[in-house]
Amino acid sequence: MIDPVCAFGLASAIVTLLDTGAKVVITLQELSEAGDIPEVFRDIQTRLPLLRRYILYTQSRTDTLSPEAGEEVLAVVQRCNAQVRQLEELLQKVAVSDRESPFRRSIRAFISVSEEGRFQKIATALIDNVQVLSTFLNVAPVEKERPKVERWLSEPLPSYASVAGLFLVPFSRDEQFVGRQKLLEMIALSFKAQSRVAISGIGGIGKSQVAIEYCYRYKESRPEAHVFWVYGGNIARFYQGYKRIAQRLEIPGWDDPEKSILELVENWLSNTTGSYLLVIDNADNIEHWWPGKYKTGGSLDDPLKNLSKYIPDGSDNIQVLITTRDMRVATRLVRKGKPIAVEPMSSEEAKALFLSKLGREEAGSEQAEIQRLLEELDNLPLAVSQAAAFIEESKISIKKYTDTLQGEGAEEYLNEEVNDSRRDEESVNCVFRTWKISYEQIKRQQVRAAELLCLLAMLDRQSIPRSLLKVPEVTTSLNVLMSFNLVTARAGAESFQIHRLVQRFVQHSLQRDNETQKWQEMALACLANDYPTEIGVAEWPVCDAFAPHVHVLTGYNYQTKKARLDLAHLLCWAADFDIERGMYKQALRRASESLRIFRELAFERDQRLAAATWLCGRLRYYQAQCSSDLDVAAGLLQEALRISTYPSLNYAESAFELAHLNYDRGNKMACLEMGKASFECWKELEGPDSVRTLDNMHDYALELAMLGDEERGIAIWEEILDRCPASDASKETKTVYTYRSMASIAEFKGEAAMAEIFYSDLITLGEAMYHSEHVHLFDYRLSHAEQIMRQGKLKEAAQLSKAILASCKNNFEWQITSCSLQTVAECCRLKACYGFEEGFRLSALELHEKKLGRHHRDTINAQEALAECYLNNAKFPEAKELYQAVISWREVALGRTHAETLRAIECLGVCHAHHGHNAEAEAAFIEVIGRQSDPHGRLLDNLYSSLWNQGKWKTLESWSKQASTPSAHYSLNTALDQQGKRAEALEVRARHLTIGAPNGVPAARPVLKCPPVRDDRRFARMIHPRTWSA
């Protein structure tokens, strides 16, 4: 039971809060009725009634609270009281009286803008307190019962962010929305018969505004449902919208660069049992939706992918609302039923809209002028709203505005800009005339605002980050542009958008004045200067927000040297981000163009040139499919190393990539030299204990161990263990480094049981640090399964690998799938279950061919593994065909004497021998021996066996004399015997007599043996190991 003193204090605090809150709501309502108010004011208007509801609910449960709970709730209510009192004080500063002069009104308006930051902090604090109360009282606004209370006068609806379903509409509700009731009813009625509805009409007709209003009405009727908003005007923005949905829903794999966000979200939307509304706004470009039928446009790596595949289909619980200017898009996307044509407003609706935006009642003398103006504007909502804003801001008469609109000066406009056969040209001209007048007025009254509009017109028109607009008087300029409805603030006022036709109008105006290049270069400079040059996970949100603007700005043609260098700089680091997202083809195009510009304009030791060269080499290496590709990549990376300053990021990263390229080519010394150079560079650049130094030390240790120098590799891992406590890494990352090093030490010491324990610890730690399907966590699970396999627990290892395979198949990074397939296949091989192994090897090969191509080194390795499976399963023709393909590739790509080439030829010889083709086997073995200076005893035994099977005793005698092994002695003895050389045979027996051998024979007949099986799991971990770092 709550303490009486606490109960009294809580009751008093609640009464005070309710009283003060009511006053604040009334004041906000009066401000709202007096005119437009900042967005944060509207947000507070929404938050306060929700807070009041929780407070009343708290009051009804006071008697059930424990003493501790009562104290906690009292503290929350007291904090709310303090915040509401601050609101009351701030509102007194900005409240406007009818008796005040225009000057005083302007002063108060300025104060309201300047205090917006404080209002935002209070709004955030109120949100936090609502969440605390909802959590503490174990109640949600929709899901739990609440006491029925009277709503305050004109009380707004609860914040949609606080209810069960997500509300991802980036626009505030238009409190002055008028008309369109019939259109909204048609949309609702259409959804009863179909899950997709499209509304189509000319630009400026109000499609998006209708869609926004429908979202809010839908949310009112179904608060538990999700509401999503995706921009469909270009591929980059469509992708960004789906990525936000995936992120907010926490769909597994949303943050994986190799995973298709579009497929993830479409799959979730099509299969969920919950209700939702998805709006796809401005789906205007038909090339993005069916590129196979129309000219391809967009920026995805694979242009044949069309966005129409990613619109969900589902049951009656989903609604997909599409807005578009193109009736063809609407008809095809809806599939069944007809799209809804959005017509201009009726005269009554347009008049109501005009007066609501004007903020005053109609005067009797203005009736005819309003009608004339609306007819001139063709009742287009956007044109009507802008006209009202201009008249109100400029304090000119409606007649003067209409006269100017109809004057000769307004005729000079972009008559053909919007080419839509379903609307006549006159209606389009009206929109452009309105924008021309507004633009010219802004240029005369607020030059900075006009300049900002020019800058905005050069960028992608939606989601322009405020942080990108580093220009003078940006806040004032944005307010001016928003007052004319030329620019709209998105939720939170941290990004802005400009209407498509406004953007085109400004662009054509600049083109007419020969100023296009100037503003393109200025926009480019803003983005290039703000783009991150070291891209990690922390920089992803920034780069993701910049991505659409990069796409637009890199498409312009720049002339000046400075602009072209800015372009090269932007292309370089945008390509680096493309790599993080797994978009390698686009990354290579951008990096190559960046390098071309820098080579033309920069001096040789310019570090921007070094960065572009390194990046190009890195991408050439990642996508190499033959020896010549690797040569090009190596040349670029060596050039980058040569021109990079030391120590620097460029030098360290160039050495890093060269180390792994040389590992792939079998150049052991060069691999180790570059691996050491990379971590030594980081060591000098950031210190011996920095995160990147330790990360690169781990890579170098892995290179040493995998190339046979386990002792030195283990010594480096032990050094990492010593340095971890002093590292600048987080506590969790230090623990990862510790466990990872200890696991590696145990693994390369052959202590698989101990390595299994450490990888198990890494899995536990990873589950706490990452989501359940994070790439690092999958790597730890695979390593764990591998160590279990190495202990001979094949059934358990196979089960673990199959579980990994099931959880990542078709919805995760493909390398994880590949490694899982290889591990299961290896377990099958060790159990001699070659039929099952074959299935997994085939799947792995198909995956590599699909992702890397038929001629990539990893695809060839997968071919070789399948060939060995065929050989073990006595499918000799299939095995020989694959071995011959492997040999052909490796002789060209790796060289005739490369160890992997020779191994494949020897395996082909074994295959020939098992198939009874001993002459071909003999030729293969002799070919390998001829390319080596010191052939392995196993290879000689294979040759002896093939000669024995052919009865070539003289040749066998000759080859046997060249070695001094038990099998060579036995082969020599047999060859001499078969040729009747008894005395020499007896001499061999006497010289090489083996005690205990039957009949004094020195050894047994040599048998065919394949070279050791490749360690595919370890090899796979060397593919771009930065992917696997903690």
Side-chain angles (χ1 to χ4, degrees):
M1 194 71 174
I2 189 172
D3 181 77
V5 176
C6 181
F8 179 81
L10 180 58
S12 176
I14 289 175
V15 170
T16 302
L17 178 59
L18 292 174
D19 181 65
T20 309
K23 294 177 183 178
V24 170
V25 168
I26 292 171
T27 304
L28 286 170
Q29 183 65 31
E30 291 172 351
L31 286 172
S32 180
E33 294 172 354
D36 198 15
I37 61 175
E39 192 60 38
V40 67
F41 285 28
R42 298 185 189 279
D43 189 54
I44 292 173
Q45 270 188 291
T46 303
R47 303 289 177 189
L48 280 177
L50 186 63
L51 175 62
R52 179 180 186 271
R53 187 169 294 168
Y54 274 103
I55 293 300
L56 288 171
Y57 185 62
T58 302
Q59 191 177 37
S60 70
R61 293 190 58 185
T62 300
D63 294 337
T64 65
L65 296 176
S66 65
E68 295 79 12
E71 292 177 1
E72 293 288 339
V73 173
L74 176 59
V76 174
V77 174
Q78 288 173 340
R79 288 199 298 271
C80 291
N81 257 324
Q83 291 148 9
V84 173
R85 282 196 298 271
Q86 291 178 39
L87 276 175
E88 186 179 30
E89 294 172 1
L90 288 172
L91 288 172
Q92 289 175 357
K93 295 182 181 180
V94 302
V96 179
S97 171
D98 292 338
R99 297 186 298 274
E100 288 184 330
S101 66
F103 175 76
R104 292 294 300 169
R105 286 171 177 258
S106 64
I107 290 296
R108 289 189 182 275
F110 176 80
I111 293 174
S112 70
V113 173
S114 63
E115 296 287 359
E116 191 172 348
R118 292 182 63 188
F119 275 97
Q120 186 63 60
K121 290 181 180 179
I122 294 172
T124 302
L126 287 174
I127 296 171
D128 294 339
N129 286 326
V130 168
Q131 292 174 344
V132 170
L133 282 175
S134 65
T135 302
F136 187 78
L137 297 172
N138 192 27
V139 63
V142 173
E143 297 171 333
K144 304 290 182 178
E145 294 183 357
R146 295 186 299 272
K148 296 181 179 180
V149 297
E150 294 294 327
R151 290 180 61 193
W152 292 351
L153 181 64
S154 302
E155 174 184 339
L157 290 167
S159 168
Y160 297 121
S162 302
V163 299
L166 294 177
F167 190 75
L168 302 185
V169 178
F171 306 99
S172 301
R173 191 173 194 174
D174 186 359
E175 300 298 333
Q176 298 175 331
F177 185 86
V178 296
R180 298 301 198 186
Q181 183 61 33
K182 182 179 179 181
L183 177 58
L184 289 165
E185 290 173 355
M186 290 175 64
I187 294 173
L189 183 63
S190 298
F191 274 128
K192 292 182 179 180
Q194 60 202 64
S195 61
R196 293 185 185 182
V197 173
I199 56 176
S200 178
I202 194 172
I205 203 69
K207 302 179 295 295
S208 297
Q209 297 303 313
V210 170
I212 292 169
E213 179 64 19
Y214 185 84
C215 287
Y216 280 87
R217 295 191 183 190
Y218 178 91
K219 191 63 174 176
E220 289 176 356
S221 63
R222 303 183 187 181
E224 79 286 350
H226 297 304
V227 180
F228 307 119
W229 187 282
V230 175
Y231 176 70
N234 64 56
I235 294 176
R237 292 296 302 144
F238 186 91
Y239 176 90
Q240 192 178 42
Y242 265 46
K243 183 173 183 180
R244 175 163 174 76
I245 292 174
Q247 179 181 6
R248 292 298 302 274
L249 289 173
E250 297 183 352
I251 299 175
W254 71 267
D255 57 348
D256 173 48
E258 295 290 342
K259 187 60 194 155
S260 170
I261 289 293
L262 301 182
E263 292 177 359
L264 269 180
V265 176
E266 189 276 334
N267 182 63
W268 189 94
L269 293 175
S270 296
N271 293 288
T272 182
T273 58
S275 299
Y276 68 83
L277 166 65
L278 169 64
V279 176
I280 301 177
D281 189 38
N282 288 326
D284 298 331
N285 192 337
I286 199 169
E287 297 173 5
H288 295 163
W289 301 93
W290 297 277
K293 296 181 179 179
Y294 303 93
K295 181 181 177 182
T296 299
S299 61
L300 287 180
D301 273 354
D302 184 1
L304 296 180
K305 290 183 178 180
N306 61 74
L307 297 185
S308 64
K309 297 195 307 183
Y310 303 111
I311 299 181
D313 283 316
S315 57
D316 296 338
N317 61 322
I318 76 167
Q319 296 185 9
V320 179
L321 179 60
I322 302 157
T323 76
T324 177
R325 289 165 47 193
D326 193 333
M327 184 62 75
R328 296 175 301 169
V329 175
T331 302
R332 286 168 171 78
L333 288 182
V334 169
R335 292 183 180 175
K336 62 179 181 179
K338 293 183 178 180
I340 299 173
V342 183
E343 301 294 340
M345 283 182 158
S346 67
S347 298
E348 293 75 18
E349 288 177 332
K351 183 177 180 180
L353 175 63
F354 178 79
L355 292 175
S356 69
K357 298 297 184 182
L358 204 59
R360 56 185 172 86
E361 296 293 330
E362 175 188 16
S365 59
E366 294 178 330
Q367 184 174 357
E369 290 301 328
I370 291 175
Q371 186 63 32
R372 186 165 71 99
L373 172 60
L374 296 178
E375 289 177 358
E376 185 67 18
L377 297 177
D378 201 18
N379 294 336
L380 291 177
L382 181 58
V384 171
S385 298
Q386 288 182 323
F390 182 87
I391 291 169
E392 177 65 15
E393 178 73 18
S394 304
K395 306 303 180 186
I396 65 173
S397 68
I398 299 173
K399 182 180 184 304
K400 183 176 181 181
Y401 184 93
T402 309
D403 290 342
T404 306
L405 192 65
Q406 294 176 331
E408 293 183 358
E411 293 295 332
E412 178 194 352
Y413 224 82
L414 309 173
N415 295 330
E416 303 298 327
E417 178 60 24
V418 179
N419 184 16
D420 190 327
S421 61
R422 291 168 295 281
R423 294 294 301 165
D424 60 48
E425 297 294 327
E426 183 61 26
S427 62
V428 176
N429 293 343
C430 291
V431 176
F432 280 99
R433 291 174 192 171
T434 301
W435 291 330
K436 178 178 173 62
I437 297 170
S438 300
Y439 179 61
E440 294 296 337
Q441 184 71 12
I442 291 172
K443 284 176 65 176
R444 289 194 298 269
Q445 293 184 350
Q446 180 55 262
V447 176
R448 295 294 190 191
E451 292 176 347
L452 180 59
L453 185 62
C454 295
L455 181 66
L456 295 174
M458 298 298 108
L459 301 167
D460 182 85
R461 70 179 192 87
Q462 287 210 336
S463 291
I464 303 171
R466 189 188 186 101
S467 61
L468 192 59
L469 307 177
K470 291 182 170 58
V471 294
E473 303 176 25
V474 62
T475 301
T476 303
S477 298
L478 284 170
N479 288 335
V480 171
L481 296 177
M482 287 188 290
S483 71
F484 283 95
N485 291 323
L486 295 174
V487 170
T488 304
R490 296 175 70 88
E494 291 303 316
S495 64
F496 301 86
Q497 69 174 22
I498 178 173
H499 192 279
R500 177 187 294 103
L501 296 181
V502 174
Q503 182 186 50
R504 291 181 181 176
F505 155 68
V506 176
Q507 290 173 346
H508 281 274
S509 297
L510 295 174
Q511 185 177 11
R512 178 196 60 201
D513 298 335
N514 294 320
E515 291 192 338
T516 300
Q517 188 70 34
K518 167 188 172 183
W519 291 105
Q520 287 176 347
E521 292 182 2
M522 185 170 292
L524 176 66
C526 287
L527 186 56
N529 293 336
D530 221 34
Y531 204 91
T533 54
E534 287 192 35
I535 300 173
V537 176
E539 288 73 34
W540 274 38
V542 176
C543 296
D544 197 47
F546 285 170
H549 309 292
V550 172
H551 174 65
V552 170
L553 290 175
T554 54
Y556 296 142
N557 183 26
Y558 300 96
Q559 302 298 326
T560 67
K561 179 179 179 179
K562 180 184 181 305
R564 295 186 66 207
L565 287 172
D566 284 341
L567 173 63
H569 174 83
L570 180 60
L571 284 167
C572 178
W573 296 110
D576 197 22
F577 181 55
D578 288 336
I579 295 174
E580 297 289 323
R581 295 188 293 175
M583 301 175 69
Y584 296 117
K585 293 181 180 178
Q586 177 170 288
L588 182 56
R589 288 194 299 269
R590 287 175 168 174
S592 299
E593 178 63 13
S594 173
L595 180 59
R596 186 187 67 80
I597 296 172
F598 277 131
R599 281 177 169 172
E600 178 185 345
L601 300 178
F603 60 91
E604 184 182 17
R605 303 291 291 187
D606 191 317
Q607 291 307 289
R608 295 175 298 179
L609 173 60
T613 308
W614 151 65
L615 190 63
C616 243
R618 178 185 178 190
L619 284 161
R620 292 285 185 186
Y621 166 42
Y622 284 11
Q623 298 186 69
Q625 294 192 6
C626 61
S627 179
S628 60
D629 291 343
L630 289 175
D631 290 339
V632 172
L636 287 167
L637 291 170
Q638 287 164 355
E639 180 186 351
L641 199 69
R642 179 181 61 82
I643 63 178
S644 296
T645 58
Y646 186 89
S648 67
L649 178 147
N650 294 334
Y651 188 96
E653 293 294 345
S654 299
F656 175 90
E657 301 296 349
L658 276 170
H660 293 284
L661 187 151
N662 282 301
Y663 176 89
D664 281 354
R665 305 187 84 166
N667 298 334
K668 177 178 178 179
M669 297 305 297
C671 169
L672 297 179
E673 179 186 357
M674 289 294 97
K676 184 176 182 180
S678 178
F679 94 76
E680 290 287 357
C681 182
W682 283 120
K683 182 177 179 180
E684 187 166 341
L685 189 64
E686 296 187 350
D689 304 322
S690 76
V691 172
R692 289 191 281 200
T693 301
L694 296 180
D695 234 0
N696 280 262
M697 285 178 69
H698 172 79
D699 293 327
Y700 181 54
L702 191 59
E703 291 156 7
L704 285 167
M706 293 179 69
L707 290 171
D709 198 344
E710 290 91 347
E711 186 176 343
R712 287 176 62 196
I714 290 171
I716 292 177
W717 279 314
E718 290 173 344
E719 183 180 351
I720 293 174
L721 291 174
D722 293 336
R723 293 189 180 280
C724 264
S727 172
D728 58 354
S730 66
K731 180 181 178 181
E732 292 80 6
T733 301
K734 290 179 183 179
T735 307
V736 169
Y737 283 6
T738 299
Y739 286 176
R740 188 176 65 179
S741 298
M742 295 174 75
S744 300
I745 291 171
E747 179 178 347
F748 284 96
K749 281 186 174 181
E751 299 172 357
M754 184 62 67
E756 175 192 347
I757 294 173
F758 287 124
Y759 281 120
S760 178
D761 291 339
L762 278 169
I763 292 171
T764 303
L765 181 63
E767 289 173 341
M769 292 177 63
Y770 315 118
H771 62 76
S772 60
E773 295 191 3
H774 195 283
V775 62
H776 299 337
L777 197 50
F778 272 109
D779 185 44
Y780 302 150
R781 288 171 179 162
L782 279 168
S783 299
H784 180 244
E786 178 191 355
Q787 299 312 309
I788 292 175
M789 179 185 71
R790 292 182 185 281
Q791 297 175 66
K793 296 183 284 186
L794 302 179
K795 183 177 180 181
E796 182 182 352
Q799 289 175 341
L800 289 172
S801 299
K802 288 178 180 178
I804 298 170
L805 189 63
S807 61
C808 70
K809 188 176 182 180
N810 295 328
N811 70 346
F812 207 80
E813 183 169 324
W814 73 270
Q815 289 98 330
I816 297 292
T817 301
S818 171
C819 290
S820 301
L821 288 169
Q822 292 178 47
T823 305
V824 178
E826 184 65 11
C827 290
C828 293
R829 186 189 69 82
L830 293 172
K831 291 190 294 184
C833 298
Y834 302 123
F836 290 108
E837 179 193 0
E838 180 181 331
F840 291 108
R841 297 292 186 193
L842 277 168
S843 297
L845 177 57
E846 290 171 359
L847 183 60
H848 280 84
E849 289 178 342
K850 177 181 177 181
K851 296 295 183 179
L852 300 176
R854 298 180 61 86
H855 303 294
H856 193 279
R857 175 173 176 169
D858 297 336
T859 306
I860 300 302
N861 294 336
Q863 282 185 331
E864 183 184 40
L866 178 60
E868 290 175 4
C869 177
Y870 284 147
L871 175 58
N872 292 330
N873 208 19
K875 293 186 176 181
F876 304 122
E878 293 90 340
K880 285 192 281 187
E881 181 180 356
L882 284 177
Y883 276 129
Q884 287 164 351
V886 170
I887 294 166
S888 297
W889 185 90
R890 285 181 177 169
E891 285 185 330
V892 175
L894 304 180
R896 290 170 54 82
T897 60
H898 193 279
E900 292 182 20
T901 305
L902 300 181
R903 180 183 183 280
I905 298 175
E906 185 178 355
C907 286
L908 177 61
V910 172
C911 188
H912 280 309
H914 280 299
H915 202 196
H917 300 164
N918 288 289
E920 290 88 344
E922 175 192 351
F925 296 141
I926 292 175
E927 180 70 24
V928 177
I929 293 171
R931 299 185 190 183
Q932 290 181 325
S933 58
D934 184 18
H936 194 277
R938 177 203 65 253
L939 174 60
L940 293 173
D941 285 349
N942 287 335
L943 176 60
Y944 301 156
S945 178
S946 66
L947 293 172
W948 192 308
N949 292 335
Q950 296 176 79
K952 290 186 173 183
W953 307 116
K954 186 173 182 180
T955 308
L956 178 60
E957 175 189 353
S958 175
W959 279 104
S960 300
K961 288 180 177 179
Q962 297 182 30
S964 181
T965 63
S967 59
H969 301 153
Y970 184 79
S971 298
L972 177 58
N973 173 76
T974 303
L976 292 171
D977 254 348
Q978 291 294 329
Q979 296 177 75
K981 301 178 180 180
R982 305 294 181 185
E984 293 180 48
L986 289 172
E987 184 181 351
V988 169
R989 284 194 182 97
R991 187 183 311 125
H992 303 291
L993 179 66
T994 302
I995 297 175
N999 302 318
V1001 177
R1005 175 177 174 172
V1007 295
L1008 290 167
K1009 292 181 181 179
C1010 279
V1013 176
R1014 287 173 44 83
D1015 196 337
D1016 286 321
R1017 174 70 184 103
R1018 287 187 178 179
F1019 179 83
R1021 295 219 313 254
M1022 291 303 294
I1023 300 175
H1024 313 319
R1026 293 204 324 181
T1027 305
W1028 310 98
S1029 68

